[in-house]
Amino acid sequence: MSIIRISSFSKQFFAVSCFSGITIILLMTKECPYLHSITNIFRYPAANDSAYSYVTFEAFRDGRRLGNQMFMFAALFYVAKATKREAVLFSDHNARELEQYFILGVRKINRTCPCFSFHEHLVSYDVRIEEAIRSENATNSRTILLRGFFQSYRYFQPVEHQIRAGMKFKNDIQDFARDVLRENIPRGWTEGRFVRVGIHSRRGDITWDGYRPLGVEPAPATYFQKAMKYFADRYKVVQFVVVSEDRKWSRQHITYDSQSSSVNVTSVNVTISLKHSAGQDMAILSLCDHAIISSGSFGWLAAWYANGNVVYYSNYPGKGSNLAKKCNASDYYPPHWIPMD
């Protein structure tokens, strides 16, 4: 096994967790009703007033970072299709990270109101969005303004192609990621004859003791080793590309245990990605064939872009925690992703 360090001059930057980002809101809520299965909301009629045929989100004023911004932007396509509106950004939106790393397939317009404001109550799919879409009295002749986080695969599933087309990495970001991967092909290996698996290990803020009682904690080394064994046993010749803000911990603990697998250690490579921007690291992970993720919106979206087999840390949020009791995590991860602990 070899460890290769990749570095650039950009500052490391990571997105906050989908759950921890709204923990306070959840703790203030007394109940979290079971969510219903998705209704086919796309059969309902949409508003006919072309003067207000828009959907957008409230400007970011809470310091949310890249992953949370991306989830919010993606939800626009879901509501836009369901209501036959146009997804737009208002000119006063503070979405600098989105615009820094992505070609956004929407127009920017001046604030257009009156608005119908939909405030999401849940981390996962909020069935009330269906009621809002059906309610012509509430939404007709109004711009729909989304507030919340909208972090569920169910907002992606019906409009996946539109999201991928409307949130593309900029060419320089994509080219940078390709160059990094090409320049760090393990010695003696040939492109196309091995499989890349991206690993996102979120640590940083969630290593603080205050997060643990809430059900938010970093995935342990044993989880990564188990997930790595799964891919090594399946694909035999594998390069693992690790992205994390805790590079020291990653070098020490995200390693391949050759004793646990029949795969020859010379057929497994672990590459540590260092000192890249959030957008660059996400682009690197997106170009991998498969993904292993721990927790948070950043890893989720990187795995979604990669569009291969995904293993996720199943103890997020922690079982029996306040957060787990108030959320429906099954709405967060796509059902074909693979849970491991």
Side-chain angles (χ1 to χ4, degrees):
M1 177 183 69
S2 60
I3 296 179
I4 302 173
R5 300 181 184 179
I6 309 173
S7 60
S8 72
F9 297 104
S10 299
K11 187 177 180 181
Q12 188 79 10
F13 193 97
F14 286 88
V16 296
S17 154
C18 74
F19 292 114
S20 63
I22 57 173
T23 295
I24 294 176
I25 296 174
L26 291 170
L27 293 179
M28 293 170 62
T29 304
K30 294 182 179 179
E31 296 181 0
C32 182
Y34 293 105
L35 296 181
H36 306 293
S37 59
I38 294 180
T39 304
N40 181 13
I41 61 174
F42 302 108
R43 69 175 183 267
Y44 296 111
N48 296 317
D49 191 335
S50 60
Y52 299 99
S53 56
Y54 306 120
V55 58
T56 190
F57 51 77
E58 185 56 272
F60 302 133
R61 306 186 192 282
D62 54 6
R64 67 182 66 187
R65 294 186 286 178
L66 182 61
N68 287 327
Q69 292 186 24
M70 292 172 66
F71 263 114
M72 196 72 199
F73 182 75
L76 299 184
F77 293 92
Y78 178 88
V79 178
K81 180 177 180 180
T83 61
K84 296 180 173 62
R85 281 173 162 81
E86 179 186 358
V88 298
L89 292 180
F90 285 160
S91 55
D92 62 350
H93 275 147
N94 181 16
R96 287 192 297 271
E97 280 194 274
L98 282 175
E99 295 178 292
Q100 179 180 354
Y101 300 125
F102 294 95
I103 301 170
L104 302 178
V106 300
R107 293 191 300 147
K108 262 196 165 183
I109 65 173
N110 292 328
R111 182 171 285 270
T112 305
C113 283
C115 295
F116 170 80
S117 181
F118 179 83
H119 196 164
E120 177 196 45
H121 284 178
L122 302 169
V123 173
S124 44
Y125 184 81
D126 192 334
V127 71
R128 295 178 312 115
I129 190 68
E130 299 175 19
E131 299 168 7
I133 288 169
R134 292 196 298 266
S135 176
E136 292 187 44
N137 291 336
T139 60
N140 238 359
S141 301
R142 289 174 171 84
T143 295
I144 296 179
L145 188 65
L146 303 180
R147 301 171 186 263
F149 288 81
F150 293 88
Q151 299 192 3
S152 168
Y153 81 90
R154 299 189 182 208
Y155 295 118
F156 281 65
Q157 197 172 45
V159 288
E160 180 171 352
H161 296 300
Q162 292 94 321
I163 297 171
R164 290 186 185 276
M167 194 165 55
K168 291 182 178 179
F169 287 101
K170 286 187 173 180
N171 292 337
D172 62 317
I173 300 296
Q174 195 85 337
D175 291 344
F176 174 87
R178 289 196 183 99
D179 288 344
V180 166
L181 292 176
R182 183 173 57 251
E183 292 166 4
N184 288 277
I185 293 174
R187 183 175 299 178
W189 292 25
T190 303
E191 184 74 72
R193 296 188 176 182
F194 65 93
V195 166
R196 285 193 183 95
V197 178
I199 298 178
H200 179 241
S201 171
R202 183 184 175 209
R203 292 183 61 79
D205 57 343
I206 63 171
T207 62
W208 304 338
D209 290 340
Y211 274 89
R212 294 180 186 273
L214 304 177
V216 184
E217 61 182 53
T222 52
Y223 159 72
F224 291 107
Q225 290 159 5
K226 183 178 179 181
M228 293 167 77
K229 179 182 183 299
Y230 170 84
F231 283 105
D233 287 349
R234 172 171 287 201
Y235 296 108
K236 310 306 180 188
V237 184
V238 182
Q239 180 185 30
F240 294 100
V241 180
V242 183
V243 167
S244 177
E245 63 268 64
D246 193 336
R247 296 176 290 278
K248 181 178 179 181
W249 189 92
S250 297
R251 285 194 295 269
Q252 292 175 347
H253 298 285
I254 301 183
T255 58
Y256 177 68
D257 181 7
S258 60
Q259 301 301 316
S260 67
S261 175
S262 60
V263 177
N264 192 315
V265 71
T266 59
S267 300
V268 174
N269 168 272
V270 179
T271 295
I272 308 294
S273 175
L274 300 178
K275 298 182 180 178
H276 299 134
S277 70
Q280 290 169 339
D281 269 335
M282 185 175 286
I284 289 169
L285 293 174
S286 77
L287 293 176
C288 294
D289 302 297
H290 309 289
I292 297 169
I293 60 175
S294 55
S295 59
S297 55
F298 185 96
W300 193 106
L301 284 153
W304 178 80
Y305 271 110
N307 203 24
N309 294 327
V310 179
V311 171
Y312 67 89
Y313 182 47
S314 61
N315 196 34
Y316 178 77
K319 294 178 177 63
S321 67
N322 289 333
L323 195 55
K325 293 174 184 177
K326 299 176 186 298
C327 302
N328 187 344
S330 64
D331 269 354
Y332 181 56
Y333 297 107
H336 62 281
W337 288 10
I338 304 164
M340 287 190 187
D341 54 22

